[in-house]
Amino acid sequence: MNLKELSNILNLSQTTVSRALNGYPEVGEKTRIRVIEAARKYNYHPSYSAKRLAMGRSHAVAHVVPQNPQHSMINPHFSDFIAGAGETYARYGFEMLISVVPYDEQEQCYRELARSRRVDGVIVHGPYKEDPRIPLLENLKLPFVVHGRMEGKATHYSWLDVNNRSSFKRATNFLLDLGHERIALLNGVEEMDFAFRRRLGYESALLERGLTVDPSLIFSADMVEPYGYDVTKKLLSTEHPPSAVVTSSVLTALGVVRAVQECGLQVGHDLSVVTFDDELSFLQYPGVPLFTSVRSSIKDAGSRLAEILIDQINHPEKGPIQELWEADLVVGRSTGPCR
């Protein structure tokens, strides 16, 4: 049984039948009940194509992933985010389109998505402090929501962000309370908004304790394991190595651990480590966690951002939805008092 056959039996248009099954208010209650009963009787299940016909939409959402040599978006963080978003899309009957494009071809990709109407909206990943994608999407009238936000210009569009500044201020203060004063920061790419805010939090914690910010202890790069390893090896070979490190990713922190162990030292005793932890699904530890961390679920963020975008697609008259999540501080085995 397909939509056309069911419509012929009911002597109704395919659009009316589809709208009745999808709960549109313009369909009368008697007609809706009649359609639902017939669908049950003939074991009819709406197809995606029928929904698209009735609603004038694609029922699809795009994730445009730029290939940037400085920062790779295809990483374990992205896979957990997509898992959360995908669960929400499935619940609401949406499909997901992932387009991996060269960094300088993003504008062309967004324009083509808007022109072809292949998708009803997009999620923007990894915003920069000044990000041309946001004004572009506003001009294209393509619904979007941002995972993160753009510095100083986050009032007129929908976004969800972790409070990166307060998270890293809290992480640094935790180490300061343990007596550490020489604390290194292994940050992400600081042209990106989240990393910029994290550095501000780190610096403000030091300055409020009357300490000087030492540029030689601040690093910025793509958040991968070798980055943490290489920087830590160099730091530990200096005359005055730090007693603690704050990292922007648990992947980077794993590199820190590898370097410390190779030097015959112990994490939490010779070098304390606090990291930002996206609660990656494949790095969950039983009992006391390995890392002391400021923690937020990237999978939950993906799920919530998908909900916000679908709500914006279904109710374009609504104003922007903006959510700032606070991270939890979880004490693990990677920190201890300064020796």
Side-chain angles (χ1 to χ4, degrees):
M1 174 66 67
N2 58 35
L3 179 64
K4 183 177 180 181
E5 291 168 340
L6 182 63
S7 301
N8 290 336
I9 290 171
L10 292 166
N11 197 27
L12 295 170
S13 71
Q14 294 181 49
T15 300
T16 299
V17 171
S18 185
R19 286 176 178 268
L21 292 170
N22 285 287
Y24 272 64
E26 60 264 32
V27 178
E29 190 62 23
K30 288 184 178 180
T31 301
R32 187 190 320 282
I33 293 172
R34 180 178 164 224
V35 170
I36 292 172
E37 288 178 348
R40 288 173 180 166
K41 178 180 178 181
Y42 295 104
N43 196 29
Y44 169 75
H45 300 283
S47 67
Y48 283 118
S49 59
K51 278 191 173 185
R52 291 166 183 161
L53 173 65
M55 303 178 75
R57 297 177 185 161
S58 66
H59 250 67
V61 169
H63 296 255
V64 178
V65 184
Q67 289 293 80
N68 188 336
Q70 279 191 303
H71 176 69
S72 174
M73 287 296 302
I74 304 297
N75 55 35
H77 305 269
F78 183 74
S79 63
D80 268 24
F81 180 95
I82 288 297
E87 289 175 2
T88 299
Y89 296 144
R91 191 165 69 248
Y92 286 92
F94 275 71
E95 295 176 316
M96 176 168 47
L97 171 68
I98 299 178
S99 293
V100 181
V101 300
Y103 183 78
D104 57 359
E105 294 180 14
Q106 291 179 86
E107 179 177 345
Q108 178 183 346
C109 181
Y110 283 120
R111 290 189 180 279
E112 177 58 26
L113 288 172
R115 185 199 64 78
S116 65
R117 301 180 67 183
R118 290 176 62 196
V119 297
D120 298 321
V122 298
I123 289 182
V124 176
H125 297 273
Y128 286 76
K129 288 187 290 184
E130 294 290 335
D131 201 311
R133 293 174 294 178
I134 293 172
L136 170 66
L137 289 167
E138 290 175 329
N139 290 334
L140 292 174
K141 308 298 183 185
L142 185 62
F144 71 96
V145 60
V146 181
H147 184 203
R149 51 191 161 140
M150 190 166 61
E151 173 67 14
K153 298 178 182 178
T155 59
H156 54 282
Y157 56 88
S158 292
W159 52 263
L160 183 152
D161 198 8
V162 174
N163 195 336
N164 288 291
R165 180 166 182 165
S166 73
S167 295
F168 272 62
K169 184 175 183 179
R170 190 177 183 186
T172 307
N173 274 326
F174 179 82
L175 292 168
L176 291 168
D177 290 341
L178 290 172
H180 299 278
E181 293 187 353
R182 192 161 174 78
I183 303 170
L185 172 65
L186 275 63
N187 203 2
V189 177
E190 291 188 357
E191 287 77 11
M192 303 187 76
D193 186 84
F194 79 90
F196 168 72
R197 294 177 190 270
R198 289 177 180 183
R199 177 168 177 163
L200 291 179
Y202 160 84
E203 291 179 343
S204 65
L206 295 174
L207 293 171
E208 287 178 12
R209 300 290 184 103
L211 299 173
T212 301
V213 175
D214 185 349
S216 70
L217 294 177
I218 299 175
F219 301 86
S220 171
D222 197 10
M223 302 178 297
V224 292
E225 194 272 355
Y227 162 51
Y229 172 82
D230 292 339
V231 171
T232 304
K233 287 282 283 190
K234 291 176 183 177
L235 287 172
L236 293 176
S237 67
T238 61
E239 185 177 357
H240 299 291
S243 63
V245 173
V246 181
T247 78
S248 264
S249 166
V250 70
L251 300 179
T252 305
L254 289 172
V256 175
V257 171
R258 181 162 66 98
V260 171
Q261 292 175 341
E262 278 193 12
C263 292
L265 304 175
Q266 183 181 348
V267 170
H269 181 70
D270 301 297
L271 183 73
S272 287
V273 181
V274 180
T275 187
F276 188 89
D277 183 1
D278 285 305
E279 294 186 50
L280 298 176
S281 59
F282 63 93
L283 285 178
Q284 298 303 308
Y285 303 96
V288 179
L290 170 60
F291 291 113
T292 295
S293 62
V294 279
R295 179 179 291 183
S296 182
S297 171
I298 196 167
K299 183 176 180 181
D300 289 349
S303 177
R304 179 60 185 141
L305 277 157
E307 290 177 348
I308 292 172
L309 181 57
I310 291 170
D311 185 62
Q312 187 169 301
I313 291 167
N314 290 334
H315 305 284
E317 73 282 357
K318 285 188 176 181
I321 298 172
Q322 300 169 347
E323 296 184 9
L324 185 62
W325 289 7
E326 295 294 338
D328 298 321
L329 177 64
V330 179
V331 179
R333 303 194 303 272
S334 65
T335 50
C338 183
R339 296 179 63 191

